Each structure stands twice: as structure tokens, then as C-alpha cells.
Amino acid sequence: MRNILLVEDTITDGQFIKQTFSEINKYVNIEIVNNEETAKKYLQSNPSFQNAIMADLIIIDLMNSCLKFIEFIKSDSNLRRIPVIILSSSSDNEYINNCCSLFANAFIIKPKEKERFIEIINAIDNFWFKQTRLSSIPK
């Protein structure tokens, strides 16, 4: 089973991504949180997330606090090995460059068309869970 932490502040997008992943790959579990602080608590195994499972992949769509959150992940020796994908409606080059300079593993511009969105989710699943070998967190 592969685990995705989806940090998505739009409820309908989060549910669509989760549903689409479950249709594409039944071996993917997605935990959705809607802000940076909740995501940090999840990743730090805060007691409020008693059943939290460490993420194999983090997908983020947080325009305002995304950069601080990437910096948090990549500065933590236990979290930095987790690939981070930015899935954003922004196509601002400065924002894209800033995300990548903080070591986001990919930046994908969120499409408006449902069919294209499904293609992107399928591509994420194929690349990160079928083509790529992900590292494990040392115990």
C-alpha cells in the first residue's frame, strides 16, 4: 500500500483527486488535510492523528503557505526523502521557480478540464508508484 498526503484547500478538488486515485490504483491510500498546520501535525505523528501512516508522496496545493511548507519538509531529516509534488492552478514563473528552488520534486499546473486532470493523476500514479522506487524512512 502506498500513502499520499494530499494538502488541498479546495474540498471538491481533494475529493476528486482521492476518488480518481482509488479508481486508478486500489493500493493507494490518500489522507487529505486542508492546511499547512494540519499537514505538519500529521507528518509529525501528532496524537490527534493516531492512525497516521507516513506518506510516500506529498501533493500540495496551498498557494499562500506552500513555500514555507516545502521548506519545513525538506529541512526535516525524517521527511526530506518524501517526494513533494506541487499541484497548483498558478502558472507564475516566479512561484514555480521558488517551489523548485526549495526542492519540490515536480510542479504541475492544475488543469481545468476533468479529462486532463484524470490524465495527470494517472501520470502521477504511473511515475511515482510504478516507475520509481521510493526510499523508506529508517526506523
Side-chain angles (χ1 to χ4, degrees), residues 9-85:
D9 53 4
T10 305
I11 294 170
T12 53
D13 284 355
Q15 290 304 318
F16 177 75
I17 292 168
K18 184 173 185 164
Q19 177 184 342
T20 304
F21 259 109
S22 68
E23 292 169 5
I24 291 170
N25 185 341
K26 65 181 178 180
Y27 300 105
V28 172
N29 174 55
I30 297 184
E31 184 70 36
I32 303 172
V33 296
N34 62 2
N35 61 56
E36 173 193 4
E37 289 307 312
T38 306
K40 283 181 179 179
K41 288 176 184 175
Y42 182 91
L43 290 169
Q44 293 171 328
S45 299
N46 185 289
S48 61
F49 290 102
Q50 294 174 353
N51 298 323
I53 299 170
M54 186 49 72
D56 296 301
L57 180 68
I58 300 171
I59 301 175
I60 305 171
D61 181 12
L62 293 174
M63 187 64 174
N64 294 331
S65 59
C66 187
L67 296 175
K68 286 188 269 180
F69 187 54
I70 298 169
E71 196 168 37
F72 162 78
I73 294 165
K74 296 302 181 176
S75 66
D76 185 303
S77 62
N78 290 322
L79 302 175
R80 71 173 59 122
R81 64 109 195 131
I82 303 171
V84 174
I85 297 173

Side-chain angles (χ1 to χ4, degrees), residues 78-127:
N78 290 322
L79 302 175
R80 71 173 59 122
R81 64 109 195 131
I82 303 171
V84 174
I85 297 173
I86 309 305
L87 183 61
S88 176
S89 55
S90 175
S91 59
D92 179 70
N93 282 333
E94 183 177 353
Y95 179 60
I96 294 168
N97 290 338
N98 287 337
C99 289
C100 293
S101 71
L102 291 171
F103 305 106
N105 297 83
F107 192 104
I108 301 170
I109 297 172
K110 190 185 291 186
K112 295 183 185 335
E113 306 82 22
K114 181 180 178 180
E115 295 77 26
R116 182 72 183 119
F117 208 155
I118 292 170
E119 288 174 13
I120 287 173
I121 293 169
N122 201 3
I124 291 169
D125 177 68
N126 185 50
F127 182 78

